[in-house]
Amino acid sequence: MKAVCFYFQIHQPFRLKRYRFFDIGNDHYYYDDFANDDIITRIAHRSYIPAAQTLLRMIEDTKGAFRCAISITGVALEQCEQYVPEFVDLLKKLAATGKVDFLAETYDHSLASLADPEEFQIQVKLHSDKIEELFGVKPHVFRNTELIYSDELAPQIAAMGFKGCITEGAKHILGWKSPNYVYAAASAPKLKLLLKNDKLSDDITERFSHTDWNEYPLTADKYIGWIADTPQEEQVFNLFMNLETFGEFHTADTGIFQFLEALPRFAKERGVEFITPTEAVKTFKPVDVLSVVHPISWADEARDTSAWLGNQLQKEAFSKLYSVAERVRLSDNRQLKQDWGRLQAADHFFYMSTKHMADGASHSMFSPYETPYQAFTNYMNVLADFIVRVEEQYPMSIENEELNSLLTTIRNQAREIETLNKEVNRYRLNEEHLNEEHALRQTKETPAAAPAKDAKTAKAKSAAKTRAKKA
């Protein structure tokens, strides 16, 4: 059996407005609402909506033989709900088919997994709860921000209840091995790994409309043929890409939507099936254990985390941001916590990158800023104001030891409350059980007593009649 596992990522950050040094302490609203509205509305109508409609038709036309996975960040969902609710309705229709996996990830598309395990866990739960609330499905497979993964993360992911994790099929990790199999995590053997097939994914995302590509034009028949002609024993072909691939990166006039919609027909002819990530981890057994000592991602040729943490600007901003993590978690200020999440988005650090990609392009081509230094300055101004707000509740003059002591006290109290609640529930159950036993005893005794009572009543009536006759 050969199976294709399609996965589509959807993410848009809350972009920051131009925030000056003199705004620090005076302006606590950080977002460029016009840009956020304009960008997600434009992309939704050019890409997200027609792509979702295409996927829905593919599922309906194949009577469920076509299936796929979608991973949408919490911050993207918030913007969709606000600016393009019709797209959220389409996602609900896809969920209702039962043929679309909704994956778990960090709510804010953050790099928390590299800095703060507690924050990482909070964001993943927040995202899973949001998916379940909106779409009525509980995620069973995890996809970290930018496919970041390492041996250190695997036990955390498994402990959160996930059966599988999606990551990059990086060549320096795989060596001679193929990404077209399911692997087991070295540090958590029960966690199964699905690895992105880099070439087949990039043939669509990067090369589809490039007329100078030696395989141009790429047709559905040719593409499925490449998959069908691989060695028989290869199991699953993980094709992971941004949903913007369809309509945004490659516009509708390139034929990208027709290509996508034609895939199931040719797959059926060649005996290639479609599968969701959840089905893949249930169906296939791992062929080997895979160890990833240093974090990998799906970015750049290096497939590491240097796109976000590769220079001093990024490291300084990242360190400053997470230095207040414990204080923010102590706060019950909803707006502060919302800003905290949005400021963690990996995009802000990506905009500060000074790296060049394989084709010579700079990361700045994806940035709303003119230079990485402008991105850094703007972000640090916003972060400075945010830290002022945090200090108003939990001053930085409180030493870490004192803060840790306070946190320990709070956690101990939380555990004590949890224990007491369990005891209360146990006593309540015991009481209910005793009440049920008492009611049952009364029920058993009542039928036996009734005949005796009836006999006494009859005897009394008979005696009364006898007295009446004598009278």
Side-chain angles (χ1 to χ4, degrees), residues 286-301:
V287 296
D288 200 357
V289 171
L290 194 68
S291 179
V292 182
V293 178
H294 303 291
I296 58 172
S297 76
W298 67 348
D300 301 340
E301 284 294 306

Side-chain angles (χ1 to χ4, degrees), residues 69-70 72 91 94-95 100-104 131 135 137-141:
I70 289 175
I72 178 168
L91 291 178
L94 284 169
V100 177
D101 253 11
F102 281 82
L103 306 181
I131 294 298
F135 307 119
V137 292
K138 184 177 181 180
H140 297 289
V141 175

Side-chain angles (χ1 to χ4, degrees), residues 123-183:
Q123 285 201 22
V124 173
K125 185 180 186 309
L126 194 63
H127 182 267
S128 293
D129 290 347
K130 179 78 171 177
I131 294 298
E132 196 165 5
E133 174 195 337
L134 269 183
F135 307 119
V137 292
K138 184 177 181 180
H140 297 289
V141 175
F142 179 72
R143 177 258 195 225
N144 198 15
T145 303
E146 306 294 341
L147 298 191
I148 290 171
Y149 173 82
S150 70
D151 289 342
E152 187 178 351
L153 292 179
Q156 298 175 52
I157 297 167
M160 287 188 275
F162 297 110
K163 306 302 180 187
C165 178
I166 288 172
T167 189
E168 174 68 25
K171 292 183 178 66
H172 68 280
I173 296 298
L174 283 171
W176 57 268
K177 297 175 184 176
S178 167
N180 305 328
Y181 294 95
V182 173
Y183 292 88

Side-chain angles (χ1 to χ4, degrees), residues 18 351 353 362-365 367-376:
R18 292 299 188 267
Y351 301 151
S353 177
S362 169
H363 284 185
S364 62
M365 65 182 290
S367 171
Y369 303 97
E370 293 178 8
T371 67
Y373 308 101
Q374 189 184 86
F376 173 77

Side-chain angles (χ1 to χ4, degrees), residues 294-397:
H294 303 291
I296 58 172
S297 76
W298 67 348
D300 301 340
E301 284 294 306
R303 299 295 193 262
D304 58 13
T305 60
S306 59
W308 307 275
L309 299 173
N311 64 39
Q312 284 305 116
L313 302 178
Q314 294 166 314
K315 290 174 183 175
E316 171 65 20
F318 190 71
S319 173
K320 195 75 172 176
L321 173 67
Y322 282 98
S323 69
V324 296
E326 293 284 15
R327 287 170 167 79
V328 176
R329 282 196 285 272
L330 283 172
S331 174
D332 58 2
N333 185 311
R334 185 176 176 276
Q335 186 60 54
L336 190 75
K337 288 195 170 183
Q338 185 180 70
D339 291 337
W340 160 246
R342 292 177 179 180
L343 288 176
Q344 290 183 66
D347 309 72
H348 303 307
F349 303 96
F350 188 83
Y351 301 151
M352 301 176 200
S353 177
T354 51
K355 287 184 68 177
H356 287 271
M357 293 175 282
D359 59 1
S362 169
H363 284 185
S364 62
M365 65 182 290
F366 300 104
S367 171
Y369 303 97
E370 293 178 8
T371 67
Y373 308 101
Q374 189 184 86
F376 173 77
T377 301
N378 200 69
Y379 182 82
M380 293 304 282
N381 286 343
V382 170
L383 187 57
D385 181 81
F386 177 77
I387 291 174
V388 167
R389 292 163 59 202
V390 174
E391 285 188 359
E392 287 175 357
Q393 295 192 30
Y394 297 98
M396 297 299 281
S397 57

Side-chain angles (χ1 to χ4, degrees), residues 48-67:
Y48 297 161
I49 291 174
Q53 290 170 335
T54 301
L55 295 175
L56 194 57
R57 281 197 305 273
M58 292 166 72
I59 293 169
E60 292 169 349
D61 292 347
T62 62
K63 295 180 172 55
F66 176 78
R67 50 200 66 190

